[in-house]
Amino acid sequence: MTEERGYGVPEVLRLVKITYRQLDYWARTELVVPSVSDAGGSGTKRLYSFRDIVELRVIKSLLDTGVSLHNIRKAIEYLRDLNEAPTGTTLVSDGDRVYAEDSPGALLDLLAEGQGVFAIAIDKVWKDLEKSVGKSRPGRDAARAGGR
């Protein structure tokens, strides 16, 4: 088994763009506990894994949109429950609720016991219609319709 590289606090603060106080609070309240090495007293260092840093970035992004730490905890728990790296997951927030998109057009409300909601990507509808309209010949089809 290969040991994972640990990222020290100064590097984590720089990568995530948060303060030491935020990082310390999130570690003490177990929002994100450093998975490589936690501080065990004076002279010990917290070391975070790459996945820890991803979680911290997600937390920071959700905070920036106005999501409460209480709701962020639920979103992070959902991501942790995924066995593999959650790279195929997109989190969506309106500043209050947090949703996960695991497949195109299907959102899961992470704060309502996994209630499913659906999304319609207007740009996809627009592009699909442009392709369909482009396949029909407006002049010829209009002439045919007018002649009937």
Side-chain angles (χ1 to χ4, degrees):
M1 182 173 145
T2 316
E3 282 190 37
E4 184 172 3
R5 174 180 179 221
Y7 298 83
V9 169
E11 192 169 13
V12 170
L13 297 177
R14 181 182 60 77
L15 291 169
V16 181
K17 297 178 178 63
I18 56 174
T19 66
Y20 176 79
R21 287 181 62 151
Q22 286 174 299
L23 185 63
D24 183 56
Y25 177 76
W26 298 344
R28 285 185 291 108
T29 61
E30 298 182 352
L31 179 58
V32 177
V33 177
S35 59
V36 175
S37 173
D38 198 0
S42 181
T44 61
K45 295 181 181 181
R46 290 183 179 132
L47 292 176
Y48 292 83
S49 70
F50 182 80
R51 187 171 177 136
D52 295 339
I53 295 172
V54 169
E55 287 181 7
L56 289 164
R57 267 272 181 97
V58 168
I59 292 165
K60 169 76 165 95
S61 296
L62 289 171
L63 275 175
D64 289 347
T65 67
V67 179
S68 70
L69 272 179
H70 174 75
N71 289 346
I72 289 171
R73 284 183 189 280
K74 291 181 181 181
I76 294 301
E77 286 171 14
Y78 171 81
L79 291 177
R80 287 183 186 142
D81 287 344
L82 299 174
N83 291 329
E84 68 281 345
T87 54
T89 302
T90 300
L91 293 183
V92 180
S93 176
D94 60 4
D96 182 37
R97 313 281 310 169
V98 181
Y99 307 90
E101 181 182 33
D102 289 326
S103 60
L107 294 177
L108 188 66
D109 185 341
L110 300 182
L111 307 178
E113 314 270 323
Q115 173 69 40
V117 295
F118 295 93
I120 299 170
I122 302 303
D123 64 331
K124 183 176 179 349
V125 173
W126 188 283
K127 288 175 184 173
D128 287 347
L129 279 173
E130 281 182 329
K131 288 178 186 174
S132 295
V133 169
K135 289 180 184 175
S136 67
R137 289 174 254 157
R140 190 173 183 188
D141 292 344
R144 230 184 262 173
R148 289 189 182 162

